[in-house]
Amino acid sequence: MTGRAPAGPSRLRNFVGGEFVDGGSTFTKVSPVTGEPVFEVVEATRSTVDDTVAAARAALRGPWGRMGERERAEVLRRVADELERRFDDLVTAEVADTGKSIAQARTLDIPRGAANFRAFAEIVATAPTESFTTVTPTGGRALNYAVRKPVGVVAVIVPWNLPLLLLTWKVAPALACGNAVVVKPSEETPASATLLAEVMAAAGVPDGVFNLVHGFGPDSAGEFLTRHPGVDAITFTGESATGGAIMRAAADGVKAVSFELGGKNAGLVFADADLDAAVAGSMRSSFTNGGQVCLCTERIYVQRPVFDEFTARLAKRAGELAYGWPTDEATATMPLISPQHRAKVLGAYELARAEGAEVLTGGGTPTFGDARDGGSYVQPTVLTGLGPDARTNREEIFGPVVHVAPFDTEDEAYALANGTEYGLAATVWTRDVGVAHRAGVRLDAGIVWVNTWFLRDLRTPFGGVKASGIGREGGVHSLNFYSELTNVCVDLS
Ligand code: NAD
Ligand code: 6OD
């Protein structure tokens, strides 16, 4: 059984000022695995959103606003402890919402939720601020030093692909810096965020510091939040086009924004690479989470001497990826998040064919002969034969699909990789340290992985260039977004 709801209520409510609140209309969340309903979700009204912002503002004036960094770090550690205590419930919630494999939820999604809180507890307690001694015009001395203050009420809006991971990646540093948050998870993944509200309460996070609204984007909770005059900053992960809409909404209030957006990430496989590692790594980078990771490689360029061998091995392995129920430990695929997203991805498969692509494996939908036929599955797909200008090679698909093409020179590889409007991540397979370094410098990407993929150190800058984002989060970069630095200048003469 897989579309199973977690232990606890199957009616998911908003969380305002420390209380779950009901009221208003509801929408139905269906299982990506079977298409059956799994949750009824209370959609936040404009007035619910007003209430959350007021509760967050009130919390900033209460004990939370008077806590020092070390006390807040202690609260974050308690949240991590509580997330670990609710581990099984969170795994079940994440699987029910997304249809991802239980093995992935256990090893990636939920552990990273707790890790985000532990990491930012450490970072905020140890990060220094600047200080300078200055010679004054009269030859005396002045001391300049910076102090961090919370920004205020932060709206956190996140997508459905790695729900708890992406939500806590933003909530943890926002709370570490002393803000109060109003979070809006994706309408497709309301469950783990609702459990996070329970976790916050159990961990003793003061009422109003963490608030949750469920709903959609335009003319719903997302837009009510981004246009709210009581919101001081917006941190958003999602599609680049949505980032544009949020930026327009934020412009009126001149709110700070941090955007982690879409990608059309390239993998580069050089002829000197360890080919076993490159094939295995490219399987992960193309098909993890059903290809629904913003960091996934949807284009792989392979140096000509190893192109045929690499491509044949990748296509063979992609064709062998095991379908299974999310609860089967051997399952290596997952459904797409919704019928709408499946239609989009199947449309991309059709477009690739119309553009002249050769389909090496996949390209359609699997059939199961059981309840999964009501789900949103597509086949893992490997394409080849298209040029860099094909829409298949330029537009984000966000599914289990990769196009493979050859290159000859290093310069050509960088030109091909950089040939889209996006610039989130790139993955490079080579044994040549010179190539590794030049790739880091020359690729239009916020993150360049060499001989690995999605290996994370939470202290490092994370974000995208071009249409893939604005700003950086991670480590001190998160602190810089979620706090205001005030410089204090004391004349000592
Ligand atoms: P989306 O942009 O459709 O939705 C993301 C969130 O924004 C949802 O909660 C949605 O309800 C909300 N939203 C939509 N319109 C809004 C509006 N006008 N105002 C306020 N909120 C609004 O994205 P998605 O389909 O949920 O997620 C997939 C996309 O996210 C892909 O493009 C993927 O690359 C991107 N993504 C990027 C990163 C990153 O770190 N760069 C990480 C994960 C996903
Ligand atoms: O690992 C992270 O911190 C992060 N933000 C990952 C984003 C994945 C995109 O789907």
Side-chain angles (χ1 to χ4, degrees):
M1 183 52 196
T2 50
R4 197 160 56 88
S10 58
R11 181 181 174 86
L12 306 181
R13 294 173 297 164
N14 301 296
F15 188 69
V16 185
E19 301 282 337
F20 281 102
V21 298
D22 219 311
S25 57
T26 61
F27 60 93
T28 303
K29 160 67 194 167
V30 302
S31 164
V33 178
T34 62
E36 292 160 2
V38 276
F39 299 113
E40 279 302 301
V41 188
V42 177
E43 183 179 358
T45 60
R46 195 185 286 277
S47 110
T48 316
V49 173
D50 288 346
D51 291 347
T52 58
V53 175
R57 183 69 55 201
L60 293 169
R61 293 190 296 267
W64 181 248
R66 293 188 288 277
M67 274 187 202
E69 283 150 2
R70 285 182 182 277
E71 277 176 286
R72 291 198 302 266
E74 205 39 55
V75 173
L76 264 62
R77 286 190 199 99
R78 289 205 305 270
V79 173
D81 291 345
E82 190 60 23
L83 280 169
E84 283 160 0
R85 204 181 65 75
R86 299 291 303 272
F87 189 87
D88 290 344
D89 292 340
L90 286 157
V91 167
T92 308
E94 213 71 314
V95 172
D97 266 350
T98 61
K100 68 181 65 195
S101 76
I102 199 165
Q104 184 194 305
R106 279 191 190 134
T107 53
L108 171 65
D109 297 71
I110 309 308
R112 249 305 289 278
N116 285 335
F117 283 95
R118 291 206 193 285
F120 283 103
E122 181 70 21
I123 289 163
V124 77
T126 54
T129 49
E130 307 148 86
S131 138
F132 298 95
T133 304
T134 308
V135 180
T136 68
T138 57
R141 295 290 180 272
L143 178 65
N144 284 282
Y145 62 95
V147 292
R148 281 191 193 284
K149 302 171 186 172
V151 176
V153 178
V154 179
V156 182
I157 301 180
V158 286
W160 42 258
N161 57 323
L162 301 169
L164 187 75
L165 185 160
L166 292 172
L167 178 57
T168 53
W169 166 244
K170 290 173 176 298
V171 169
L175 298 193
C177 292
N179 300 286
V181 296
V182 182
V183 310
K184 197 205 82 62
S186 168
E187 54 275 29
E188 293 293 348
T189 51
S192 57
T194 308
L195 287 183
L196 183 60
E198 292 180 12
V199 162
M200 290 284 166
V205 175
D207 292 350
V209 171
F210 177 93
N211 305 275
L212 160 72
V213 288
H214 290 297
F216 302 83
D219 201 27
S220 183
E223 187 177 349
F224 300 156
L225 203 46
T226 55
R227 291 199 180 278
H228 202 291
V231 166
D232 299 297
I234 302 168
T235 180
F236 167 73
T237 302
E239 285 187 18
S240 300
T242 311
I246 291 179
M247 206 164 180
R248 284 187 286 280
D252 282 344
V254 200
K255 301 183 203 317
V257 294
S258 172
F259 285 169
E260 296 175 348
L261 306 176
K264 186 72 185 176
N265 310 303
L268 298 180
V269 180
F270 285 86
D272 71 328
D274 172 342
L275 217 58
D276 291 344
V279 172
S282 300
M283 286 298 296
R284 285 185 61 232
S285 72
S286 300
F287 299 113
T288 295
N289 209 52
Q292 302 167 113
V293 180
C294 59
L295 308 160
C296 276
T297 44
E298 291 192 356
R299 306 175 290 147
I300 301 182
Y301 297 105
V302 188
Q303 208 158 20
R304 206 169 296 274
V306 294
F307 176 75
D308 287 344
E309 183 184 349
F310 175 90
T311 304
R313 289 174 64 180
L314 187 80
K316 180 167 184 299
R317 287 187 55 171
E320 292 168 353
L321 277 171
Y323 296 100
W325 292 93
T327 41
D328 297 341
E329 294 293 335
T331 296
T333 56
M334 63 181 278
L336 299 176
I337 190 69
S338 64
Q340 295 79 2
H341 191 50
R342 180 166 94 145
K344 182 190 159 203
V345 172
L346 289 176
Y349 290 2
E350 278 317 301
L351 173 67
R353 283 195 180 87
E355 289 186 307
E358 183 184 349
V359 180
L360 298 176
T361 189
T365 53
T367 49
F368 298 96
D370 59 31
R372 284 171 294 175
D373 289 334
S376 293
Y377 287 88
V378 298
Q379 291 173 327
T381 295
V382 179
L383 306 167
T384 191
L386 295 179
D389 292 334
R391 283 176 56 197
T392 302
N393 275 326
R394 303 176 74 85
E395 297 174 7
E396 183 184 50
I397 301 171
F398 218 58
V401 53
V402 60
H403 181 275
V404 192
F407 72 88
D408 291 300
T409 66
E410 192 182 335
D411 281 347
E412 185 192 1
Y414 300 144
L416 287 165
N418 289 341
T420 76
E421 67 180 272
Y422 293 105
L424 185 56
T427 300
V428 180
W429 300 91
T430 181
R431 290 184 166 107
D432 183 332
V433 71
V435 171
H437 179 70
R438 284 193 295 277
V441 172
R442 293 186 54 185
L443 286 170
D444 294 346
I447 305 137
V448 175
W449 277 294
V450 180
N451 297 330
T452 186
W453 176 75
F454 205 179
L455 177 62
R456 296 283 288 116
D457 179 328
L458 306 186
R459 297 167 298 183
T460 59
F462 184 95
V465 306
K466 302 198 295 196
S468 288
I470 295 180
R472 293 290 178 276
E473 298 199 31
V476 74
H477 308 280
S478 294
L479 302 190
N480 287 343
F481 178 73
Y482 294 106
S483 60
E484 295 286 7
L485 282 170
T486 295
N487 185 65
V488 182
C489 177
V490 183
D491 191 336
L492 303 172
S493 42

